[in-house]
Amino acid sequence: MSAAPSISIIVPVYNVEKYLARCVDSILSQTHSDFELLLIDDGSTDGSGAICDRYAGRDDRIRVVHKENGGLSAARNSGIEIARGRYLGFVDSDDYVDADMYAHLYGIIEKEDADLAVCGYYDCYCDRPLRKNDPYYAVMGPQEALNLVFDGKISGVSACNKLYRSEIFDEIRYPQGKISEDAYVIVRILMKVRKVVVSSEQKYYYIHRNNSVTTSRFSRNQLDVIEAYQLNYKLVGEAFPESLQMAFGRLCWAHFIALDRMLLSHAEREFSREAKELVRFIRTHLREILRCGFLTRNRRLSAVVLACSFPLYRFLLNRYASKYMALNE
């Protein structure tokens, strides 16, 4: 067997034949060439599996796994199980990366002797210009890193703009059957690191599609985001108590996001019990929300509106839906 590569890049693949070539080509073009690319075909029913096999026939750095459909988390976990690299990276198959993304991440994680390296990313919508980050570079411990990813201005909880020392995943796997899977594991990941290096240079392109998880019609599993941040609140209380207020702010944010997606999909009658519980939580915690510096001024004002009138909140949300999505997606 050849020497282990420095990086294993794991790409779950499911019915993305329109986008897969762009993703794979962007990875094969990396200026850091010492990597293996693990394409995990998660039971695709279109031509995605065949595309994976064609690429594997042309580049011996590629390994393909064909498996029964189990969802994004199961596909990532399959990649983690067979990865040989000292570091792990994740790319979603409808996204793409700059040619120097892994050279940049590998360079800074080695330079700083860190366990986790983070770069900036672009949120890509068809009708919005790309937003540039301000310059930022820092080396920090897990507490500060937790605050940074929860704050979300430079980098959020996403798995895909990061490079991880592979040992981090010795005991961590993504939760199967859930969405918001990145949120479920981020605190556990940061509990396993001693040093994190963060660069705001944007190297990853996160594509928002009309039929993606984040823009689709509301379904019950979109309440997973609340479960994830309930878990995070508990873990933060145990491991990072200084960040408990920020963790609570994220839990409130999760309730707002779930409620807003439900209302924008006009699904509040179908999910009437859940809608009432979301509203009750926000109203019950109104005082804490108004004092929470993590939440934006507009978000705190919207909590006041909701406390006064649910119909008015729903009207304003739908009236300014496009602006809301730009600010809160």
Side-chain angles (χ1 to χ4, degrees), residues 214-233:
T214 53
T215 54
S216 61
R217 187 181 182 278
F218 187 85
S219 59
R220 190 174 302 279
N221 62 4
Q222 291 195 37
L223 297 169
D224 288 350
V225 66
I226 295 173
E227 181 180 89
Y229 282 105
Q230 287 171 334
L231 172 63
N232 285 339
Y233 185 76

Side-chain angles (χ1 to χ4, degrees), residues 79-91:
I80 292 169
E81 295 288 345
I82 64 171
R84 299 187 299 125
R86 290 191 293 119
Y87 300 102
L88 300 184
F90 301 93
V91 178

Side-chain angles (χ1 to χ4, degrees), residues 264-292:
L264 289 171
S265 296
H266 306 290
E268 62 270 25
R269 290 187 178 178
E270 180 181 355
F271 297 94
S272 60
R273 182 178 63 81
E274 291 83 357
K276 289 176 182 177
E277 180 58 28
L278 293 170
V279 172
R280 186 202 64 78
F281 178 92
I282 294 168
R283 286 175 171 172
T284 299
H285 294 94
L286 178 62
R287 181 174 297 180
E288 296 99 312
I289 289 170
L290 294 178
R291 293 175 177 172
C292 183

Side-chain angles (χ1 to χ4, degrees), residues 281-320:
F281 178 92
I282 294 168
R283 286 175 171 172
T284 299
H285 294 94
L286 178 62
R287 181 174 297 180
E288 296 99 312
I289 289 170
L290 294 178
R291 293 175 177 172
C292 183
F294 164 79
L295 296 169
T296 65
R297 178 175 178 272
N298 285 342
R299 182 58 83 189
R300 295 195 298 270
L301 287 174
S302 71
V304 174
V305 172
L306 182 60
C308 296
S309 172
F310 175 74
L312 178 59
Y313 180 92
R314 180 176 53 194
F315 169 79
L316 292 173
L317 177 67
N318 283 278
R319 175 68 175 81
Y320 297 103

Side-chain angles (χ1 to χ4, degrees), residues 24-175:
V24 175
D25 287 341
S26 75
I27 296 171
L28 296 180
S29 299
Q30 291 299 296
T31 56
H32 179 93
S33 60
D34 181 27
F35 64 83
E36 65 174 355
L37 173 56
L38 305 176
L39 298 176
I40 313 299
D41 173 29
D42 189 37
S44 296
T45 57
D46 64 357
S48 297
I51 294 172
C52 292
D53 290 336
R54 286 199 296 271
Y55 270 103
R58 304 202 302 255
D59 194 313
D60 60 10
R61 294 174 297 178
I62 299 176
R63 287 193 284 161
V64 178
V65 173
H66 298 285
K67 60 181 290 294
E68 292 184 3
N69 179 252
L72 176 64
S73 290
R76 283 184 182 170
N77 293 341
S78 294
I80 292 169
E81 295 288 345
I82 64 171
R84 299 187 299 125
R86 290 191 293 119
Y87 300 102
L88 300 184
F90 301 93
V91 178
D92 287 345
S93 54
D94 49 358
D95 298 337
Y96 62 98
V97 300
D98 275 341
D100 64 344
M101 182 175 110
Y102 283 105
H104 179 66
L105 289 170
Y106 183 79
I108 62 177
I109 201 170
E110 287 277 295
K111 173 188 173 185
E112 307 295 352
D113 187 28
D115 303 302
L116 173 63
V118 182
C119 69
Y121 61 91
Y122 290 106
D123 279 307
C124 302
Y125 297 87
C126 62
D127 57 347
R128 301 179 203 164
L130 297 179
R131 187 168 59 184
K132 289 283 292 181
N133 285 342
D134 293 331
Y136 180 88
Y137 184 90
V139 180
M140 60 190 69
Q143 178 90 57
E144 187 178 354
L146 176 71
N147 293 343
L148 183 140
V149 298
F150 272 9
D151 182 63
K153 292 185 176 66
I154 295 172
S155 176
V157 302
S158 171
C160 294
N161 63 323
K162 300 174 175 66
L163 188 65
Y164 309 80
R165 198 175 294 278
S166 61
E167 290 83 0
I168 290 173
F169 286 94
D170 283 350
E171 299 176 357
I172 293 176
R173 294 294 184 270
Y174 287 92

Side-chain angles (χ1 to χ4, degrees), residues 146 150 187 231-241 243-244 247:
L146 176 71
F150 272 9
V187 176
L231 172 63
N232 285 339
Y233 185 76
K234 178 178 181 293
L235 292 174
V236 168
E238 296 170 356
F240 306 107
S243 297
L244 199 57

